[in-house]
Amino acid sequence: MWFKLWQCIVKEFKLLFRDIGGLITLFLMPVILVVVVTSIQDSTYQSISASKIPILWIDHDQDSISLKVKNELEASQSFSLISAENNKTITEATAKELVFKGTYQMAIVIPKNLTSDLNIKVRQNVDGILDEMGMSTSTYDPVEVEKKEIRLYFDPATQAAFKNGIKSNIDKMVAQLESDAIYKTFETQLGGSSTTSFNDTFINFKEIVPQEKNTDVLPNSVQHNVPAWTLFAIFFIIVPLSINIVKEKNQGTYLRLISSPTSNSMLYLGKIITYLVICLLQFYTILIVAKVLFPYMNLPELNLSGSKIILMSLLTLTAGLAAISLGILLGIVCKTQEQSAPFGATFVVILAAVGGVWIPVFAMSQVMQIASKTSPMNWALNGYYDIMLRNGSLIDIIPEMILLTLFFVVFTTCALLYDKKKRTV
């Protein structure tokens, strides 16, 4: 039995090594993909964080409020405020034209007398409250103050998320400035000099991330792309596996094999073991490239400390089983290589797209997020993320491993039953 199984495995390896193009597809293509895609995404993230968005700044107030808003925007390190172009001060009309043409993404226009009118309005409101309490100290006649508008001009092509983020930040700044003005006016009208600071916020936000050895572990382009493109490479074995099965059928090799004193299950077991070894080799090849090459490309380091490499290897085996089952089914159902090769390649691309290899699942529509749950690539990808990003243990990835194993059992059983039925007809 073991001799027959060994010979089946040797046969599969011989078929693979005779196909140089197939080996290049299985090993070189995923390495190039993971290097190129990771480099592009990492440089994109760096350029976004390092660059500043130019914003046209028209200040008709020229007082403390507008100065504070300007300082807050500049302190965020995300915006570059532009007040003049070609040595000419930008007017509101010019800013509107430049933004609507798409030259700039947005413009901010601060109205006249914003600071003075705000102080008058706040003083009137404070005096009104103190009047009701019988403590008014006002010695001036009330005046009508019009409400002020900070006008924001956006490029029509600007994304809604960017608009909402800008408006939210400016609303927060203005609310804080109004609150400060109210506190100071109360203090002045009551004749006190409180040492209490109202500028310090009582409620703050703190981001908590998984920790390992007292070091923060943050997701980066390497941690996302290495498992994603590893899975793409693993599932791409559908193509050479299905082609080899179709070749054996068309050349008569399969009939000679099943007529020999060797069971059909033994033949397919040899294929399963062979391609599982290929899956592991693909996985380790990409990991070696990530560990050795990425540091020289100034890319984030891949953390494989502890038992991560063992857990990822176990998950890779179950992902490989799922891919092999699809390759066996496709090879048995298809009659020609022209059917199996393009269909297999296209199907892998669809699984990758739906599974979140290219576009993160959270960025998809609600319907596609539900559809992604049906992709075995998504199951395996979540398992890799549990290990690499969430410091998960074997218990955490068992659900994904069970799903992938059941997927293998179901599709392999269907393939073998279909093959048996077809041979008995």
Side-chain angles (χ1 to χ4, degrees), residues 72-105:
E72 287 284 344
L73 291 173
E74 290 178 337
S76 68
Q77 301 294 320
S78 299
F79 307 106
S80 175
L81 303 185
I82 300 173
S83 302
E85 191 175 61
N86 299 326
N87 297 323
K88 293 182 179 179
T89 302
I90 298 175
T91 64
E92 184 172 352
T94 304
K96 179 179 179 181
E97 182 180 357
L98 291 173
V99 170
F100 286 173
K101 282 183 177 179
T103 307
Y104 294 93
Q105 279 193 285

Side-chain angles (χ1 to χ4, degrees), residues 50-71:
S51 63
K52 293 184 178 181
I53 300 173
I55 294 178
L56 297 180
W57 175 260
I58 297 91
D59 186 2
H60 296 308
D61 180 48
Q62 299 292 333
D63 209 335
S64 59
I65 297 295
S66 62
L67 182 61
K68 288 181 181 178
V69 173
K70 182 179 181 181
N71 291 338

Side-chain angles (χ1 to χ4, degrees), residues 126-382:
V126 170
D127 281 338
I129 296 174
L130 294 178
D131 276 338
E132 294 178 359
M133 300 172 62
M135 302 171 60
S136 176
T137 60
S138 61
T139 58
Y140 65 92
D141 295 328
V143 295
E144 187 69 25
V145 179
E146 295 182 357
K147 290 186 177 181
K148 299 297 181 181
E149 290 181 341
I150 297 179
R151 288 184 289 278
L152 305 177
Y153 293 94
F154 287 100
D155 177 7
T158 302
Q159 295 182 353
F162 176 77
K163 293 181 181 179
N164 294 333
I166 293 293
K167 288 188 286 188
S168 176
N169 287 334
I170 292 179
D171 282 343
K172 180 181 177 182
M173 284 188 286
V174 172
Q176 182 65 43
L177 292 172
E178 289 180 350
S179 298
D180 291 343
I182 292 171
Y183 289 133
K184 289 178 181 178
T185 304
F186 264 113
E187 185 179 4
T188 302
Q189 296 293 78
L190 293 174
S193 57
S194 174
T195 57
T196 304
S197 174
F198 293 100
N199 293 326
D200 296 333
T201 56
F202 178 71
I203 301 175
N204 294 303
F205 294 96
K206 181 181 179 181
E207 181 182 2
I208 307 298
V209 296
Q211 292 188 348
E212 181 182 33
K213 296 181 180 180
N214 298 323
T215 303
D216 288 346
V217 181
L218 299 175
N220 55 51
S221 57
V222 172
Q223 291 171 320
H224 281 283
N225 282 294
V226 167
W229 294 104
T230 297
L231 284 172
F232 187 81
I234 289 173
F235 275 81
F236 217 82
I237 66 168
I238 292 175
V239 177
L241 176 55
S242 61
I243 288 176
N244 286 340
I245 293 176
V246 171
K247 277 184 180 179
E248 289 180 346
K249 291 191 300 182
N250 293 343
Q251 294 174 357
T253 306
Y254 181 63
L255 290 176
R256 292 196 295 271
L257 287 172
I258 61 176
S259 61
S260 64
T262 302
S263 64
N264 194 36
S265 59
M266 184 69 68
L267 296 176
Y268 283 104
L269 182 59
K271 296 181 187 295
I272 292 170
I273 295 175
T274 301
Y275 282 91
L276 274 180
V277 173
I278 296 297
C279 290
L280 286 175
L281 290 176
Q282 290 175 315
F283 170 65
Y284 293 131
T285 300
I286 293 178
L287 287 188
I288 291 172
V289 169
K291 290 291 289 184
V292 176
L293 183 60
F294 283 3
Y296 292 100
M297 300 174 63
N298 294 323
L299 292 173
E301 183 181 357
L302 182 64
N303 183 8
L304 296 175
S305 59
S307 60
K308 288 184 178 180
I309 188 70
I310 298 175
L311 296 177
M312 292 173 70
S313 298
L314 293 174
L315 186 62
T316 300
L317 287 174
T318 55
L321 287 174
I324 290 168
S325 66
L326 289 175
I328 292 175
L329 178 62
L330 188 61
I332 290 176
V333 172
C334 293
K335 296 181 180 180
T336 63
Q337 297 179 43
E338 289 75 13
Q339 291 178 352
S340 63
F343 182 84
T346 305
F347 190 60
V348 171
V349 171
I350 293 173
L351 285 178
V354 174
V357 171
W358 293 347
I359 302 174
V361 174
F362 67 82
M364 299 179 183
S365 65
Q366 192 66 31
V367 175
M368 291 307 299
Q369 288 185 23
I370 296 174
S372 69
K373 303 299 182 183
T374 63
S375 173
M377 278 197 190
N378 181 258
W379 308 338
L381 196 58
N382 286 332

Side-chain angles (χ1 to χ4, degrees), residues 112-130:
K112 292 181 180 180
N113 304 322
L114 176 62
T115 302
S116 58
D117 287 356
L118 175 62
N119 290 333
I120 293 173
K121 187 63 177 177
V122 168
R123 190 171 58 187
Q124 289 177 354
N125 291 340
V126 170
D127 281 338
I129 296 174
L130 294 178

